[in-house]
PDB file of all heavy atoms in Angstrom:
ATOM      1  N   PHE O  17      20.890  -6.910 -22.997  1.00  0.00           N
ATOM      2  CA  PHE O  17      20.033  -5.880 -23.438  1.00  0.00           C
ATOM      3  C   PHE O  17      19.944  -4.645 -22.622  1.00  0.00           C
ATOM      4  O   PHE O  17      20.126  -3.603 -23.181  1.00  0.00           O
ATOM      5  CB  PHE O  17      18.721  -6.369 -23.947  1.00  0.00           C
ATOM      6  CG  PHE O  17      17.963  -5.363 -24.651  1.00  0.00           C
ATOM      7  CD1 PHE O  17      18.454  -4.792 -25.829  1.00  0.00           C
ATOM      8  CD2 PHE O  17      16.751  -4.848 -24.210  1.00  0.00           C
ATOM      9  CE1 PHE O  17      17.853  -3.693 -26.428  1.00  0.00           C
ATOM     10  CE2 PHE O  17      16.134  -3.931 -24.873  1.00  0.00           C
ATOM     11  CZ  PHE O  17      16.630  -3.260 -25.985  1.00  0.00           C
ATOM     12  N   TYR O  23      20.993   5.076 -16.514  1.00  0.00           N
ATOM     13  CA  TYR O  23      19.666   5.541 -17.188  1.00  0.00           C
ATOM     14  C   TYR O  23      19.860   6.977 -17.572  1.00  0.00           C
ATOM     15  O   TYR O  23      19.456   7.461 -18.659  1.00  0.00           O
ATOM     16  CB  TYR O  23      18.591   5.333 -16.151  1.00  0.00           C
ATOM     17  CG  TYR O  23      17.151   5.696 -16.682  1.00  0.00           C
ATOM     18  CD1 TYR O  23      16.638   4.723 -17.618  1.00  0.00           C
ATOM     19  CD2 TYR O  23      16.504   6.775 -16.272  1.00  0.00           C
ATOM     20  CE1 TYR O  23      15.338   4.997 -18.074  1.00  0.00           C
ATOM     21  CE2 TYR O  23      15.250   7.060 -16.886  1.00  0.00           C
ATOM     22  CZ  TYR O  23      14.728   6.141 -17.782  1.00  0.00           C
ATOM     23  OH  TYR O  23      13.531   6.386 -18.241  1.00  0.00           O
ATOM     24  N   LYS O  24      20.480   7.763 -16.737  1.00  0.00           N
ATOM     25  CA  LYS O  24      20.651   9.220 -17.089  1.00  0.00           C
ATOM     26  C   LYS O  24      21.414   9.409 -18.358  1.00  0.00           C
ATOM     27  O   LYS O  24      21.085  10.283 -19.135  1.00  0.00           O
ATOM     28  CB  LYS O  24      21.335   9.864 -15.940  1.00  0.00           C
ATOM     29  CG  LYS O  24      20.478  10.918 -15.136  1.00  0.00           C
ATOM     30  CD  LYS O  24      21.363  11.728 -14.192  1.00  0.00           C
ATOM     31  CE  LYS O  24      20.942  13.185 -14.357  1.00  0.00           C
ATOM     32  NZ  LYS O  24      20.111  13.598 -13.270  1.00  0.00           N
ATOM     33  N   GLN O  26      21.724   7.278 -20.676  1.00  0.00           N
ATOM     34  CA  GLN O  26      20.966   6.776 -21.840  1.00  0.00           C
ATOM     35  C   GLN O  26      20.060   7.998 -22.408  1.00  0.00           C
ATOM     36  O   GLN O  26      19.854   8.153 -23.498  1.00  0.00           O
ATOM     37  CB  GLN O  26      20.079   5.642 -21.500  1.00  0.00           C
ATOM     38  CG  GLN O  26      20.938   4.382 -21.172  1.00  0.00           C
ATOM     39  CD  GLN O  26      19.994   3.253 -20.767  1.00  0.00           C
ATOM     40  OE1 GLN O  26      18.858   3.171 -21.059  1.00  0.00           O
ATOM     41  NE2 GLN O  26      20.556   2.376 -19.930  1.00  0.00           N
ATOM     42  N   ARG O  28      20.586  11.239 -21.990  1.00  0.00           N
ATOM     43  CA  ARG O  28      21.481  12.186 -22.651  1.00  0.00           C
ATOM     44  C   ARG O  28      21.680  11.707 -24.094  1.00  0.00           C
ATOM     45  O   ARG O  28      21.768  12.577 -25.006  1.00  0.00           O
ATOM     46  CB  ARG O  28      22.781  12.320 -21.904  1.00  0.00           C
ATOM     47  CG  ARG O  28      22.748  12.936 -20.635  1.00  0.00           C
ATOM     48  CD  ARG O  28      22.594  14.398 -20.645  1.00  0.00           C
ATOM     49  NE  ARG O  28      21.744  14.847 -19.487  1.00  0.00           N
ATOM     50  CZ  ARG O  28      22.202  15.051 -18.332  1.00  0.00           C
ATOM     51  NH1 ARG O  28      23.487  15.112 -18.134  1.00  0.00           N
ATOM     52  NH2 ARG O  28      21.403  15.598 -17.360  1.00  0.00           N
ATOM     53  N   PRO O  33      21.076  13.718 -30.761  1.00  0.00           N
ATOM     54  CA  PRO O  33      20.840  14.048 -32.147  1.00  0.00           C
ATOM     55  C   PRO O  33      20.206  15.502 -32.244  1.00  0.00           C
ATOM     56  O   PRO O  33      20.606  16.320 -32.990  1.00  0.00           O
ATOM     57  CB  PRO O  33      19.800  12.955 -32.729  1.00  0.00           C
ATOM     58  CG  PRO O  33      19.779  11.887 -31.699  1.00  0.00           C
ATOM     59  CD  PRO O  33      20.333  12.386 -30.509  1.00  0.00           C
ATOM     60  N   TYR O  34      19.193  15.629 -31.468  1.00  0.00           N
ATOM     61  CA  TYR O  34      18.491  16.992 -31.413  1.00  0.00           C
ATOM     62  C   TYR O  34      19.446  18.102 -31.090  1.00  0.00           C
ATOM     63  O   TYR O  34      19.481  19.173 -31.829  1.00  0.00           O
ATOM     64  CB  TYR O  34      17.404  16.945 -30.479  1.00  0.00           C
ATOM     65  CG  TYR O  34      16.674  18.284 -30.153  1.00  0.00           C
ATOM     66  CD1 TYR O  34      16.244  19.079 -31.159  1.00  0.00           C
ATOM     67  CD2 TYR O  34      16.500  18.667 -28.762  1.00  0.00           C
ATOM     68  CE1 TYR O  34      15.578  20.251 -30.855  1.00  0.00           C
ATOM     69  CE2 TYR O  34      15.875  19.887 -28.490  1.00  0.00           C
ATOM     70  CZ  TYR O  34      15.448  20.741 -29.561  1.00  0.00           C
ATOM     71  OH  TYR O  34      14.816  21.945 -29.273  1.00  0.00           O
ATOM     72  N   LEU O  41      23.205  23.077 -37.292  1.00  0.00           N
ATOM     73  CA  LEU O  41      22.399  23.665 -38.394  1.00  0.00           C
ATOM     74  C   LEU O  41      21.721  25.003 -38.052  1.00  0.00           C
ATOM     75  O   LEU O  41      21.249  25.763 -38.882  1.00  0.00           O
ATOM     76  CB  LEU O  41      21.214  22.726 -38.730  1.00  0.00           C
ATOM     77  CG  LEU O  41      21.760  21.481 -39.500  1.00  0.00           C
ATOM     78  CD1 LEU O  41      20.625  20.516 -39.758  1.00  0.00           C
ATOM     79  CD2 LEU O  41      22.302  21.932 -40.851  1.00  0.00           C
ATOM     80  N   THR O  49      26.812  34.150 -38.445  1.00  0.00           N
ATOM     81  CA  THR O  49      26.236  35.337 -39.169  1.00  0.00           C
ATOM     82  C   THR O  49      26.558  36.644 -38.439  1.00  0.00           C
ATOM     83  O   THR O  49      26.988  37.589 -39.106  1.00  0.00           O
ATOM     84  CB  THR O  49      24.745  35.129 -39.343  1.00  0.00           C
ATOM     85  OG1 THR O  49      24.517  33.857 -40.030  1.00  0.00           O
ATOM     86  CG2 THR O  49      24.172  36.241 -40.119  1.00  0.00           C
ATOM     87  N   ALA O  59      31.988  34.777 -49.979  1.00  0.00           N
ATOM     88  CA  ALA O  59      31.736  33.379 -50.106  1.00  0.00           C
ATOM     89  C   ALA O  59      33.024  32.420 -50.468  1.00  0.00           C
ATOM     90  O   ALA O  59      33.182  31.445 -50.049  1.00  0.00           O
ATOM     91  CB  ALA O  59      30.629  33.056 -51.155  1.00  0.00           C
ATOM     92  N   LEU O 108     -14.790  32.585 -31.399  1.00  0.00           N
ATOM     93  CA  LEU O 108     -15.971  32.191 -32.120  1.00  0.00           C
ATOM     94  C   LEU O 108     -16.070  30.863 -32.177  1.00  0.00           C
ATOM     95  O   LEU O 108     -17.260  30.206 -32.128  1.00  0.00           O
ATOM     96  CB  LEU O 108     -15.905  32.918 -33.440  1.00  0.00           C
ATOM     97  CG  LEU O 108     -17.129  32.714 -34.388  1.00  0.00           C
ATOM     98  CD1 LEU O 108     -18.257  33.477 -33.898  1.00  0.00           C
ATOM     99  CD2 LEU O 108     -16.798  33.029 -35.829  1.00  0.00           C
ATOM    100  N   TYR O 146      -9.160  40.329 -64.355  1.00  0.00           N
ATOM    101  CA  TYR O 146      -9.978  39.101 -64.189  1.00  0.00           C
ATOM    102  C   TYR O 146      -9.772  38.289 -62.907  1.00  0.00           C
ATOM    103  O   TYR O 146     -10.153  37.170 -62.858  1.00  0.00           O
ATOM    104  CB  TYR O 146      -9.982  38.168 -65.364  1.00  0.00           C
ATOM    105  CG  TYR O 146      -8.818  38.216 -66.336  1.00  0.00           C
ATOM    106  CD1 TYR O 146      -7.547  37.686 -65.917  1.00  0.00           C
ATOM    107  CD2 TYR O 146      -8.902  38.967 -67.551  1.00  0.00           C
ATOM    108  CE1 TYR O 146      -6.491  37.783 -66.803  1.00  0.00           C
ATOM    109  CE2 TYR O 146      -7.765  39.084 -68.348  1.00  0.00           C
ATOM    110  CZ  TYR O 146      -6.634  38.498 -68.052  1.00  0.00           C
ATOM    111  OH  TYR O 146      -5.542  38.551 -68.830  1.00  0.00           O
ATOM    112  N   ARG O 233       6.512  35.948 -31.613  1.00  0.00           N
ATOM    113  CA  ARG O 233       6.858  34.940 -32.629  1.00  0.00           C
ATOM    114  C   ARG O 233       6.383  35.556 -33.928  1.00  0.00           C
ATOM    115  O   ARG O 233       7.040  35.329 -34.914  1.00  0.00           O
ATOM    116  CB  ARG O 233       6.246  33.658 -32.277  1.00  0.00           C
ATOM    117  CG  ARG O 233       6.643  32.590 -33.263  1.00  0.00           C
ATOM    118  CD  ARG O 233       6.253  31.112 -32.846  1.00  0.00           C
ATOM    119  NE  ARG O 233       6.181  30.276 -33.981  1.00  0.00           N
ATOM    120  CZ  ARG O 233       7.075  29.674 -34.578  1.00  0.00           C
ATOM    121  NH1 ARG O 233       8.340  29.881 -34.222  1.00  0.00           N
ATOM    122  NH2 ARG O 233       6.853  28.871 -35.596  1.00  0.00           N
ATOM    123  N   GLN O 240       9.578  37.050 -41.812  1.00  0.00           N
ATOM    124  CA  GLN O 240      10.374  35.975 -42.541  1.00  0.00           C
ATOM    125  C   GLN O 240       9.496  35.384 -43.706  1.00  0.00           C
ATOM    126  O   GLN O 240       9.983  35.045 -44.813  1.00  0.00           O
ATOM    127  CB  GLN O 240      10.714  34.875 -41.531  1.00  0.00           C
ATOM    128  CG  GLN O 240      11.397  33.571 -42.138  1.00  0.00           C
ATOM    129  CD  GLN O 240      12.719  33.920 -42.618  1.00  0.00           C
ATOM    130  OE1 GLN O 240      13.492  34.679 -42.076  1.00  0.00           O
ATOM    131  NE2 GLN O 240      13.137  33.249 -43.679  1.00  0.00           N
ATOM    132  N   ILE O 248       7.975  35.286 -55.357  1.00  0.00           N
ATOM    133  CA  ILE O 248       7.155  34.756 -56.497  1.00  0.00           C
ATOM    134  C   ILE O 248       6.241  35.781 -57.113  1.00  0.00           C
ATOM    135  O   ILE O 248       6.185  35.896 -58.248  1.00  0.00           O
ATOM    136  CB  ILE O 248       6.368  33.466 -55.981  1.00  0.00           C
ATOM    137  CG1 ILE O 248       7.358  32.387 -55.634  1.00  0.00           C
ATOM    138  CG2 ILE O 248       5.447  33.035 -57.180  1.00  0.00           C
ATOM    139  CD1 ILE O 248       6.678  30.987 -55.249  1.00  0.00           C
TER     140      ILE O 248
ATOM    141  N   HIS N  10     -24.723  32.079 -33.878  1.00  0.00           N
ATOM    142  CA  HIS N  10     -23.353  31.682 -33.633  1.00  0.00           C
ATOM    143  C   HIS N  10     -22.975  30.559 -34.690  1.00  0.00           C
ATOM    144  O   HIS N  10     -21.863  30.698 -35.333  1.00  0.00           O
ATOM    145  CB  HIS N  10     -23.245  31.096 -32.223  1.00  0.00           C
ATOM    146  CG  HIS N  10     -21.821  30.854 -31.795  1.00  0.00           C
ATOM    147  ND1 HIS N  10     -21.572  30.565 -30.580  1.00  0.00           N
ATOM    148  CD2 HIS N  10     -20.675  30.836 -32.488  1.00  0.00           C
ATOM    149  CE1 HIS N  10     -20.200  30.291 -30.440  1.00  0.00           C
ATOM    150  NE2 HIS N  10     -19.700  30.512 -31.583  1.00  0.00           N
ATOM    151  N   PRO N  40     -11.055  35.392 -70.679  1.00  0.00           N
ATOM    152  CA  PRO N  40     -11.277  35.440 -69.262  1.00  0.00           C
ATOM    153  C   PRO N  40     -12.676  35.757 -68.851  1.00  0.00           C
ATOM    154  O   PRO N  40     -13.479  36.432 -69.645  1.00  0.00           O
ATOM    155  CB  PRO N  40     -10.353  36.569 -68.797  1.00  0.00           C
ATOM    156  CG  PRO N  40     -10.123  37.420 -70.148  1.00  0.00           C
ATOM    157  CD  PRO N  40     -10.277  36.469 -71.231  1.00  0.00           C
ATOM    158  N   GLN N  96      12.027  13.294 -18.964  1.00  0.00           N
ATOM    159  CA  GLN N  96      12.669  12.401 -17.891  1.00  0.00           C
ATOM    160  C   GLN N  96      13.824  13.110 -17.150  1.00  0.00           C
ATOM    161  O   GLN N  96      14.289  12.577 -16.088  1.00  0.00           O
ATOM    162  CB  GLN N  96      13.149  11.115 -18.497  1.00  0.00           C
ATOM    163  CG  GLN N  96      12.087  10.209 -19.185  1.00  0.00           C
ATOM    164  CD  GLN N  96      11.277   9.513 -18.190  1.00  0.00           C
ATOM    165  OE1 GLN N  96      11.713   8.735 -17.370  1.00  0.00           O
ATOM    166  NE2 GLN N  96       9.918   9.879 -18.213  1.00  0.00           N
ATOM    167  N   GLU N  97      14.335  14.171 -17.748  1.00  0.00           N
ATOM    168  CA  GLU N  97      15.366  14.938 -17.132  1.00  0.00           C
ATOM    169  C   GLU N  97      14.971  15.575 -15.760  1.00  0.00           C
ATOM    170  O   GLU N  97      13.825  15.674 -15.498  1.00  0.00           O
ATOM    171  CB  GLU N  97      15.917  16.082 -18.050  1.00  0.00           C
ATOM    172  CG  GLU N  97      16.661  15.588 -19.149  1.00  0.00           C
ATOM    173  CD  GLU N  97      18.115  15.164 -18.811  1.00  0.00           C
ATOM    174  OE1 GLU N  97      18.439  15.291 -17.541  1.00  0.00           O
ATOM    175  OE2 GLU N  97      18.835  14.625 -19.609  1.00  0.00           O
ATOM    176  N   ASP N  98      16.091  15.841 -14.980  1.00  0.00           N
ATOM    177  CA  ASP N  98      15.717  16.503 -13.722  1.00  0.00           C
ATOM    178  C   ASP N  98      15.333  17.932 -13.984  1.00  0.00           C
ATOM    179  O   ASP N  98      15.514  18.474 -15.008  1.00  0.00           O
ATOM    180  CB  ASP N  98      16.955  16.429 -12.764  1.00  0.00           C
ATOM    181  CG  ASP N  98      18.231  17.038 -13.395  1.00  0.00           C
ATOM    182  OD1 ASP N  98      18.215  18.218 -13.808  1.00  0.00           O
ATOM    183  OD2 ASP N  98      19.243  16.259 -13.486  1.00  0.00           O
ATOM    184  N   SER N 109      14.884  25.700 -26.163  1.00  0.00           N
ATOM    185  CA  SER N 109      14.017  25.443 -27.365  1.00  0.00           C
ATOM    186  C   SER N 109      13.149  26.496 -27.644  1.00  0.00           C
ATOM    187  O   SER N 109      12.868  26.760 -28.760  1.00  0.00           O
ATOM    188  CB  SER N 109      13.206  24.175 -27.006  1.00  0.00           C
ATOM    189  OG  SER N 109      14.072  23.071 -26.842  1.00  0.00           O
ATOM    190  N   LEU N 113      12.962  28.851 -31.095  1.00  0.00           N
ATOM    191  CA  LEU N 113      11.743  28.945 -31.904  1.00  0.00           C
ATOM    192  C   LEU N 113      11.661  30.400 -32.575  1.00  0.00           C
ATOM    193  O   LEU N 113      11.033  30.701 -33.501  1.00  0.00           O
ATOM    194  CB  LEU N 113      10.511  28.782 -31.035  1.00  0.00           C
ATOM    195  CG  LEU N 113       9.902  27.381 -30.927  1.00  0.00           C
ATOM    196  CD1 LEU N 113       8.675  27.459 -30.108  1.00  0.00           C
ATOM    197  CD2 LEU N 113       9.572  26.820 -32.291  1.00  0.00           C
ATOM    198  N   ALA N 118      16.079  33.471 -41.989  1.00  0.00           N
ATOM    199  CA  ALA N 118      17.099  34.284 -42.703  1.00  0.00           C
ATOM    200  C   ALA N 118      18.437  34.256 -41.986  1.00  0.00           C
ATOM    201  O   ALA N 118      19.586  34.340 -42.636  1.00  0.00           O
ATOM    202  CB  ALA N 118      16.711  35.663 -42.987  1.00  0.00           C
ATOM    203  N   SER N 119      18.494  34.110 -40.686  1.00  0.00           N
ATOM    204  CA  SER N 119      19.764  34.257 -39.992  1.00  0.00           C
ATOM    205  C   SER N 119      20.551  32.957 -40.141  1.00  0.00           C
ATOM    206  O   SER N 119      21.748  32.957 -39.830  1.00  0.00           O
ATOM    207  CB  SER N 119      19.416  34.473 -38.516  1.00  0.00           C
ATOM    208  OG  SER N 119      18.835  33.377 -37.823  1.00  0.00           O
ATOM    209  N   ARG N 124      24.479  28.350 -43.100  1.00  0.00           N
ATOM    210  CA  ARG N 124      24.030  26.947 -43.370  1.00  0.00           C
ATOM    211  C   ARG N 124      24.517  26.494 -44.732  1.00  0.00           C
ATOM    212  O   ARG N 124      24.935  25.487 -44.960  1.00  0.00           O
ATOM    213  CB  ARG N 124      22.524  26.747 -43.221  1.00  0.00           C
ATOM    214  CG  ARG N 124      22.164  25.337 -43.166  1.00  0.00           C
ATOM    215  CD  ARG N 124      20.632  25.114 -43.025  1.00  0.00           C
ATOM    216  NE  ARG N 124      20.233  25.202 -41.687  1.00  0.00           N
ATOM    217  CZ  ARG N 124      19.005  24.962 -41.308  1.00  0.00           C
ATOM    218  NH1 ARG N 124      18.036  24.671 -42.193  1.00  0.00           N
ATOM    219  NH2 ARG N 124      18.510  25.177 -40.107  1.00  0.00           N
ATOM    220  N   ARG N 129      28.019  23.174 -47.789  1.00  0.00           N
ATOM    221  CA  ARG N 129      29.073  22.997 -48.774  1.00  0.00           C
ATOM    222  C   ARG N 129      30.193  22.220 -48.191  1.00  0.00           C
ATOM    223  O   ARG N 129      30.790  21.352 -48.949  1.00  0.00           O
ATOM    224  CB  ARG N 129      29.475  24.443 -49.263  1.00  0.00           C
ATOM    225  CG  ARG N 129      30.207  24.464 -50.551  1.00  0.00           C
ATOM    226  CD  ARG N 129      30.393  25.775 -51.136  1.00  0.00           C
ATOM    227  NE  ARG N 129      31.171  26.559 -50.233  1.00  0.00           N
ATOM    228  CZ  ARG N 129      31.775  27.775 -50.563  1.00  0.00           C
ATOM    229  NH1 ARG N 129      31.357  28.290 -51.745  1.00  0.00           N
ATOM    230  NH2 ARG N 129      32.467  28.388 -49.675  1.00  0.00           N
ATOM    231  N   ALA N 178      16.295   2.815 -21.289  1.00  0.00           N
ATOM    232  CA  ALA N 178      15.616   4.022 -21.810  1.00  0.00           C
ATOM    233  C   ALA N 178      14.951   3.631 -23.122  1.00  0.00           C
ATOM    234  O   ALA N 178      13.730   4.050 -23.425  1.00  0.00           O
ATOM    235  CB  ALA N 178      16.507   5.219 -21.918  1.00  0.00           C
ATOM    236  N   MET N 181      11.703   1.732 -22.447  1.00  0.00           N
ATOM    237  CA  MET N 181      10.737   2.648 -21.872  1.00  0.00           C
ATOM    238  C   MET N 181      10.119   3.435 -22.880  1.00  0.00           C
ATOM    239  O   MET N 181       8.867   3.680 -22.888  1.00  0.00           O
ATOM    240  CB  MET N 181      11.452   3.602 -20.852  1.00  0.00           C
ATOM    241  CG  MET N 181      12.113   2.825 -19.705  1.00  0.00           C
ATOM    242  SD  MET N 181      11.032   2.882 -18.304  1.00  0.00           S
ATOM    243  CE  MET N 181      11.854   4.104 -17.466  1.00  0.00           C
ATOM    244  N   LYS N 232       5.485  29.486 -63.516  1.00  0.00           N
ATOM    245  CA  LYS N 232       5.102  30.878 -63.505  1.00  0.00           C
ATOM    246  C   LYS N 232       5.907  31.713 -64.426  1.00  0.00           C
ATOM    247  O   LYS N 232       5.472  32.614 -65.107  1.00  0.00           O
ATOM    248  CB  LYS N 232       5.111  31.409 -62.071  1.00  0.00           C
ATOM    249  CG  LYS N 232       4.435  32.762 -61.900  1.00  0.00           C
ATOM    250  CD  LYS N 232       5.438  33.662 -61.182  1.00  0.00           C
ATOM    251  CE  LYS N 232       5.263  35.084 -61.577  1.00  0.00           C
ATOM    252  NZ  LYS N 232       6.332  35.980 -61.047  1.00  0.00           N
TER     253      LYS N 232
END
Side-chain angles (χ1 to χ4, degrees):
Chain O
F17 190 56
Y23 189 71
K24 244 193 140 99
Q26 294 177 27
R28 294 282 147 87
Y34 169 53
L41 290 171
T49 303
L108 181 71
Y146 23 77
R233 188 166 152 82
Q240 174 70 35
I248 294 184
Chain N
H10 189 171
Q96 300 284 300
E97 281 290 351
D98 56 57
S109 296
L113 270 184
S119 69
R124 190 180 279 184
R129 200 169 63 170
M181 299 263 257
K232 186 233 153 187

